[in-house]
Amino acid sequence: MWHPPQGPDIPEVPWERTRACMTRRSGSTVSLWHATAELARGDDLREDLTVDALVVGAGIAGVTTAYLLRREGLSVAILEDGAAGSGETGRTTAHLASALDDRFCHLERLHGEGGARLAAESHRAAIDRIEAIVREEGIDCDFERLDGWLFASRDQGSELLDRELEAARRAGMSVERGERLPLRGLGHAPCLRFADQGQFHPLRYLGGLVESFRRSGGRLFTGAHAEEIEGGSPARVRTSSGREVRARSVVVATNTPVSTRFAIHTKQAPYRTYVVTRAVAPGAVPRALYWDTADPYHYVRLQPGAGPGGADVLIVGGEDHKTGQEEDPAGRFDGLEAWVDENLPQAGERLMRWSGQVMEPVDGIAFIGRDPTGDDGLYLATGDSGQGMTHGTIAGMLLTDLVVGRENPWATLYDPGRITLRAASEFARENLNVAAQYRDWVTPGEVESADEIPRGKGAILRRGAGKVAVHRDEAGVLHERSAVCTHLGCIVAWNDLERSWDCPCHGSRFDPYGKVLNGPAIRELGPAEPS
């Protein structure tokens, strides 16, 4: 059921002031998926535990891995800081695509023709696996197969599409040049049509997967923050409550790994991405997936019948930027709305808006496999590259094979320890950007006094040789924490859209009071320097 918006961004929903406030923890904006599904909560972890396999994180990667390991007959538990789906899985646009965002012509340059073929194969297999699980478990999540369309942006010709068509065919994709894009307002654009893509409601799917996992004997513990993760035989995870879980295998599926400090974080970069939604008349936009070739690119899909009065909901994303490196994140919505107004005249009433975080590997391929530090019993999944739903499902399939000792043809491609020499320029560019952020240690504060900070806002204040993250809540009470990220010491920045402290180096995010929202930080912001 649709509930009309209250204010510019956040709709009123039946559970908004009750359960959702307890479970939605990755930002203050509310996605369409949050508004139309209830997040699953598990048990409290009240005692130490020993299992065959432990998964840290209950997004799509973690729950899929736990579900498939349980089907292998292993005893499996999940630890989740919030509720299942309370992280980035609930902030996706839920494209299920084997037509990869990083382009096959680019992946072929970095990983060779064989690597591009394996990437395509694995994403096709992920969509097939989702479809099979939906059917076998009877999950009501609006899953459907449909076409995907890649089209040239207005300032580009068809040269990139020509190269992508040939590379995609070499990768084994079912693709053809389209005569006309079936999207009124953009029909003139040169385009490619990819068959057998898909879409679904991500949180309803995740909820059904959690239910099936628990019904089979799997255990979900929510409100359980992993504070220490150690490899070994067995591996160990200690929670902030002091409980310990031991397992032969521990899978860290926390969007970006909280179990390593350096090994992965120099090889991927965090980006914020933005989503706006509009009501459209049923049938005004053909049901398909759409992407353009702009940089940053735009991506479009439809959620049928989910809007006011049974209208379809047009979902448009893009306007990406490095996390913690945008002074006006809400302004990114304006850019998306302007793009919609210019290109999609059928779009009507403005509905919900939200943002999310994606991890971009320097070579375009996710990191899924054994922890590259060499710690026994530790595995990880990260580097969604904007395609978290399929990458998360690939993670479940690949990690299950590794844990139970089966060979998997994708293991080398996704190996977290790999070094892709042809991506050296991307590696250098991203790490130079990170290095530049440390200059914030010597810059002045954003305000001279906390008296300048309005209610509901935050700002960085210099205090002696250090910096303080100061938030004034809606009641006017000040909350101070150290502004130093607990991962590798960058100075955090206030995100006024999501009301969070975001690290511009590796993407750690903290709530207004310093609690961790996203890794790689695993500890909350420290106490502020005394005044």
Side-chain angles (χ1 to χ4, degrees):
M1 179 182 297
W2 175 258
H3 297 267
Q6 305 291 314
D9 301 321
I10 302 177
E12 176 66 23
V13 291
W15 37 272
E16 165 66 23
R17 293 194 179 93
T18 55
R19 200 164 182 179
C21 294
M22 305 279 294
T23 58
R24 200 181 59 249
R25 54 178 308 279
S26 59
S28 65
T29 58
V30 182
S31 73
L32 174 65
W33 321 121
H34 284 133
T36 53
E38 188 167 353
L39 304 183
R41 292 195 67 85
D43 301 321
D44 294 332
L45 182 62
R46 299 183 183 276
E47 58 187 9
D48 293 349
L49 185 68
T50 299
V51 291
D52 294 328
L54 174 67
V55 177
V56 181
I60 190 167
V63 174
T64 303
T65 302
Y67 169 84
L68 293 176
L69 286 171
R70 183 71 196 112
R71 287 182 57 160
E72 296 286 339
L74 278 65
S75 60
V76 185
I78 304 173
L79 295 183
E80 166 59 44
D81 200 349
S86 60
E88 296 309 309
T89 295
R91 294 181 169 273
T92 178
T93 53
H95 289 60
L96 300 176
S98 55
L100 301 184
D101 290 352
D102 289 287
R103 309 285 175 259
F104 288 107
C105 55
H106 177 64
L107 294 176
E108 191 176 84
R109 178 180 68 84
L110 295 177
H111 299 279
E113 187 174 326
R117 180 174 287 273
L118 286 173
E121 173 190 296
S122 59
H123 283 268
R124 287 198 303 270
I127 301 173
D128 290 345
R129 180 57 62 93
I130 290 170
E131 184 175 33
I133 290 172
V134 168
R135 182 178 61 252
E136 293 166 10
E137 302 293 353
I139 300 175
D140 181 10
C141 62
D142 303 326
F143 175 88
E144 63 177 311
R145 291 279 189 166
L146 30 67
D147 288 336
W149 294 85
L150 173 64
F151 62 96
S153 58
R154 290 186 182 275
D155 60 346
Q156 292 182 333
S158 60
E159 189 271 335
L160 173 59
L161 296 183
D162 292 339
R163 289 190 289 116
E164 182 65 2
L165 175 64
E166 296 307 315
R169 284 176 172 168
R170 287 192 293 271
M173 294 292 294
S174 176
V175 57
E176 61 184 25
R177 182 171 292 284
E179 295 183 3
R180 182 175 177 82
L181 187 71
L183 197 59
R184 185 162 61 90
L186 288 164
H188 65 281
C191 54
L192 302 178
R193 184 181 71 86
F194 291 84
D196 288 327
Q197 309 300 289
Q199 67 180 34
F200 66 171
H201 188 303
L203 291 186
R204 289 180 182 165
Y205 174 75
L206 191 75
L209 206 56
V210 167
E211 183 180 343
S212 298
F213 168 70
R214 298 180 76 181
R215 191 168 55 239
S216 71
R219 303 185 69 181
L220 169 66
F221 298 97
T222 54
H225 177 68
E227 198 165 72
E228 295 181 34
I229 301 174
E230 300 176 357
S233 184
R236 296 176 174 86
V237 175
R238 296 182 183 87
T239 69
S240 55
S241 66
R243 301 302 181 191
E244 181 177 277
V245 183
R246 299 184 178 193
R248 291 202 306 267
S249 303
V250 171
V251 173
V252 180
T254 52
N255 183 249
T256 187
V258 296
S259 53
T260 66
R261 288 179 65 81
F262 302 101
I264 291 297
H265 308 299
T266 60
K267 298 194 292 186
Q268 65 179 9
Y271 282 77
R272 299 300 295 173
T273 189
Y274 296 82
V275 183
V276 300
T277 57
R278 296 284 193 93
V280 294
V285 174
R287 285 152 75 156
L289 307 182
Y290 304 92
W291 316 267
D292 72 8
T293 57
D295 185 16
Y297 73 104
H298 303 90
Y299 43 101
V300 181
R301 60 158 286 196
L302 203 67
Q303 185 66 14
D312 291 345
V313 176
L314 182 69
I315 303 170
V316 181
E319 291 290 320
D320 300 15
H321 65 78
K322 288 291 292 288
T323 299
Q325 300 184 31
E326 170 58 67
E327 293 184 359
D328 180 25
R332 298 287 175 148
F333 288 140
D334 297 334
L336 279 179
E337 299 284 13
W339 186 87
V340 173
D341 289 338
E342 178 182 1
N343 294 291
L344 302 172
Q346 62 273 55
E349 176 189 356
R350 295 183 180 187
L351 302 175
M352 308 178 75
R353 309 190 298 185
W354 67 90
S355 72
Q357 185 142 307
V358 297
M359 304 304 300
E360 291 289 354
V362 296
D363 63 1
I365 295 291
F367 299 105
I368 303 168
R370 292 181 174 84
D371 190 301
T373 62
D375 286 347
D376 291 343
L378 292 187
Y379 302 82
L380 61 84
T382 188
D384 56 84
S385 195
Q387 294 187 265
M389 300 300 97
T390 44
H391 268 135
T393 305
I394 291 167
M397 300 163 71
L398 173 52
L399 293 174
T400 295
D401 284 348
L402 293 178
V403 168
V404 302
R406 278 196 299 263
E407 290 189 5
N408 186 294
W410 314 326
T412 299
L413 178 68
Y414 289 101
D415 180 10
R418 70 180 184 270
I419 297 174
T420 307
L421 295 178
R422 291 177 180 175
S425 60
E426 289 90 342
F427 177 88
R429 183 178 65 251
E430 292 293 2
N431 283 280
L432 285 171
N433 175 277
V434 169
Q437 306 313 310
Y438 285 94
R439 67 177 181 268
D440 288 343
W441 270 93
V442 298
T443 59
E446 296 171 323
V447 294
E448 293 186 4
S449 168
D451 294 340
E452 301 175 45
I453 302 174
R455 295 187 181 203
K457 305 291 185 179
I460 300 297
L461 179 69
R462 175 164 289 285
R463 183 171 292 164
K467 285 189 168 182
V468 180
V470 184
H471 167 65
R472 187 184 298 277
D473 66 24
E474 296 292 352
V477 178
L478 287 175
H479 304 270
E480 295 186 350
R481 305 297 296 182
S482 169
V484 180
C485 177
T486 56
H487 176 229
L488 289 176
C490 277
I491 301 299
V492 298
W494 176 250
N495 180 335
D496 197 44
L497 173 66
E498 298 293 358
R499 297 193 177 186
S500 62
W501 297 107
D502 296 357
C503 177
C505 287
H506 302 105
S508 299
R509 299 179 59 242
F510 307 84
D511 76 8
Y513 314 104
K515 301 291 186 182
V516 177
L517 297 178
N518 290 85
I522 199 168
R523 301 188 316 278
E524 65 183 50
L525 293 176
E529 291 290 331
S531 55

